[in-house]
Amino acid sequence: MSTTTAGEADLKHKAVMKVLSGIVICIFLAALDQTVVIPAIPAIARDLHDSRNLSWILTAYLLASTIVAPIYGRLSDTYGRRRLLEICLVIFIAASVACGLAQSITQLIFLRALQGLGGGGLMSLAQAAIADAVTPRERGRYQGYLAGVWAVASIAGPLVGGFLADHASWQWLFWINLPLGLLALRLCRRGLPAAFTARGYKTRFDTAGSLLMIATVSSLLLMLTLGGKALPWASGEMLGMGALFVVAFGLLVLQQIRKADGLFPPRLFTDRALLTGTLSSTLAAGGVFASLFVLPIFYQNMFRSGATNAGLLMIPFLVANVAGNFATGHLARKMGRMKPVVVSGTLMSIAGFLLLATAAGHLPLAATIAFSALAGVGLGCAMVGTLMSVQNAARQGDIGTATGTLLLLRSVGSMLGGAAVGAYLESQLHLPGASGAMDMHGAVMPAVSVAPAAFSVMFLGIAAAMLVALLISLKSPNVLLRSGEHPVVAMD
């Protein structure tokens, strides 16, 4: 009996790994293209003889990939993951090839937005596809693999981008996606099921809700990206985008309240497990992005590290984040509940940031790295734990929608976290005795001098955000992770 059970488990694992083989490449591509272009921007400006609007090469991709995530998630609940994932890969591959052929900055910005329309679906659909293939109780085993791929791609992006820009040409930053994308397309076609029967009925696509969501998210992200940098906060353009955000958001809320099966069904926000998991995940994403912004500048200022060494000193934080992901997956299978893991991880992140706040400028480098690693482990547990909680609570016909909504709000949380610490840091640069300049990506140039007290405030701010996440997580139900299928959704 035990031999038969072990054989069945082995066959099931092989089937899941077959699905996973294509999905990990999709996630690798989505993560890589967020950072790989950054080191090559000077070379792109030189070759295309244009240094204006270079930041839009990054912004266009980020904006497009963010706004389409919930749309793809909702569509995949009706039409299936494989079909949508194949469409996303084709768009991504074609746009990548075209980006390498761009003859002007304007063309490249447009093509990067098109690339983002494909890349935005890779992450949300890949995460939803894993939820289809593996029960929530077993999903943690494989979620760690995905997190590891994401971390490797995030670290490799700037390194690969700098190497290709120096030793080949910036066009290869995009053309390298062609073989990887084709491989992902083949593996997804082989591994993902063609049939998809999550719903017993068809729903009309929420066109009005999608347009309002695009207007809402676009105006907010543009405000966070351009505010205080390309445009003054009090400028007419910023006030106009603020007004557009308020109006579009209000109309979006009204649209979703009256439409039971819209882009964001009300049931996603009335279920306590879904709501608390999504909100906690949004704050955790803000903590991660704020950390990625602050820590390199912290190392450069407090320990006189160069830009390259500061990047290397970030590796313990990133590795610890992945370790938290793997630990969460192991604990999910062993305990069967996510709330204790999320709460414990959030507490660790708070402790890490509080220690960093008190240690700024006073403790040796080794202790500082250890505290950042503690925060990284905690954030890793919180990020994966909340995703698993949300997918566990979602009905079978809402998995794609819940995943897309979570990833959308994570992107918003990341932008808010980066904007908050960036705005505070910029305010410190104008204080007497401070000097420096912000580069076009919002990062501080190596020559910037920032007082230790300013870093203490930023770390305390991140800790405060995670404290709010902790209070929200404590309100979540301590439910068991499912070992079987999700309940099938019915019309409300």
Side-chain angles (χ1 to χ4, degrees):
M1 181 69 178
S2 60
T3 304
T4 304
T5 303
E8 291 175 351
D10 186 55
L11 288 174
K12 185 177 180 180
H13 175 67
K14 288 181 179 178
V16 173
M17 293 304 294
K18 187 177 180 181
V19 173
L20 201 68
S21 61
I23 287 174
V24 293
I25 301 179
C26 292
I27 290 179
F28 183 81
L29 288 170
L32 189 71
D33 263 67
Q34 290 186 357
T35 57
V36 73
V37 178
I38 294 175
I41 283 182
I44 294 173
R46 183 180 63 250
D47 287 357
L48 298 182
H49 309 290
D50 190 349
S51 59
R52 298 170 300 171
N53 301 317
L54 291 176
S55 62
W56 281 97
I57 297 174
L58 307 175
T59 303
Y61 182 91
L62 173 65
L63 185 60
S65 62
T66 298
I67 61 179
V68 296
I71 296 175
Y72 280 128
R74 193 61 177 152
L75 288 173
S76 72
D77 284 334
T78 300
Y79 300 105
R81 321 291 182 216
R82 179 174 138 177
R83 185 184 303 177
L84 269 295
L85 196 53
E86 288 173 346
I87 292 173
C88 289
L89 281 167
V90 169
I91 295 173
F92 183 82
I93 293 168
S96 296
V97 173
C99 282
L101 300 173
Q103 299 299 307
S104 69
I105 293 295
T106 302
Q107 289 181 13
L108 184 57
I109 290 171
F110 171 79
L111 292 169
R112 280 284 286 174
L114 183 61
Q115 189 185 33
L117 294 180
L122 298 184
M123 179 59 67
S124 61
L125 294 173
Q127 294 282 9
I130 284 292
D132 290 335
V134 192
T135 63
R137 183 83 180 244
E138 293 295 319
R139 197 169 301 148
R141 177 182 184 182
Y142 304 99
Q143 201 69 47
Y145 300 156
L146 305 184
V149 170
W150 177 269
V152 169
S154 299
I155 296 171
L159 299 177
V160 172
F163 178 83
L164 290 178
D166 290 339
H167 298 90
S169 69
W170 61 266
Q171 285 87 349
W172 283 102
L173 300 176
F174 303 106
W175 290 340
I176 197 175
N177 292 332
L178 178 60
L180 291 174
L182 291 175
L183 178 61
L185 192 61
R186 180 177 182 275
L187 292 175
C188 286
R189 176 169 285 272
R190 187 188 69 173
L192 296 179
F196 187 79
T197 56
R199 290 182 181 273
Y201 61 91
K202 296 288 185 180
T203 60
R204 294 184 62 184
F205 180 65
D206 186 8
T207 304
S210 299
L211 293 174
L212 290 170
M213 181 276 296
I214 291 172
T216 301
V217 176
S218 298
S219 56
L220 177 60
L221 294 185
L222 288 174
M223 288 172 63
L224 295 175
T225 302
L226 303 177
K229 303 179 184 71
L231 294 172
W233 285 106
S235 65
E237 293 89 342
M238 291 296 292
L239 294 175
M241 284 188 284
L244 175 60
F245 168 74
V246 172
V247 172
F249 179 71
L251 292 175
L252 177 62
V253 171
L254 293 175
Q255 164 74 4
Q256 298 310 298
I257 288 175
R258 74 175 187 83
K259 192 173 178 63
D261 219 41
L263 184 66
F264 304 107
R267 57 181 170 268
L268 294 184
F269 304 99
T270 55
D271 185 296
R272 191 152 57 98
L274 287 171
L275 181 60
T276 55
T278 301
L279 292 176
S280 298
S281 195
T282 301
L283 290 165
V288 171
F289 199 82
S291 302
L292 295 176
F293 188 105
V294 173
L295 284 172
I297 305 168
F298 176 69
Y299 289 132
Q300 290 183 60
N301 276 263
M302 296 298 101
F303 300 100
R304 299 296 182 263
S305 300
T308 301
N309 287 336
L312 294 174
L313 291 173
M314 286 295 296
I315 292 178
F317 173 82
L318 296 170
V319 171
N321 194 271
V322 176
N325 298 158
F326 277 100
T328 301
H330 173 74
L331 292 171
R333 299 180 70 200
K334 184 176 181 179
M335 300 172 59
R337 297 179 188 273
M338 275 292 92
K339 181 176 179 177
V341 180
V342 173
V343 169
S344 299
T346 308
L347 281 170
M348 283 192 288
S349 69
I350 294 171
F353 288 120
L354 287 177
L355 289 169
L356 285 171
T358 57
H362 301 291
L363 288 184
L365 178 61
T368 304
I369 291 175
F371 295 157
S372 73
L374 176 63
V377 170
L379 289 170
C381 292
M383 290 286 281
V384 172
T386 51
L387 174 62
M388 293 177 63
S389 297
V390 166
Q391 290 184 333
N392 179 66
R395 306 174 187 182
Q396 182 63 35
D398 282 338
I399 289 178
T401 303
T403 303
T405 301
L406 175 72
L407 296 180
L408 168 67
L409 292 178
R410 274 188 179 180
S411 295
V412 172
S414 297
M415 294 294 290
L416 286 171
V421 295
Y424 177 77
L425 186 59
E426 187 175 8
S427 72
Q428 298 305 296
L429 298 180
H430 291 90
L431 291 177
S435 62
M438 303 291 286
D439 74 1
M440 67 179 182
H441 309 300
V444 176
M445 301 296 284
V448 164
S449 177
V450 183
F455 289 110
S456 294
V457 171
M458 286 186 281
F459 289 132
L460 284 173
I462 302 173
M466 295 310 298
L467 177 60
V468 176
L470 174 64
L471 296 176
I472 294 172
S473 298
L474 290 172
K475 296 290 185 180
S476 65
N478 190 25
V479 297
L480 280 171
L481 293 174
R482 301 183 189 278
S483 299
E485 293 294 322
H486 296 249
V488 177
V489 65
M491 286 293 286
D492 291 342

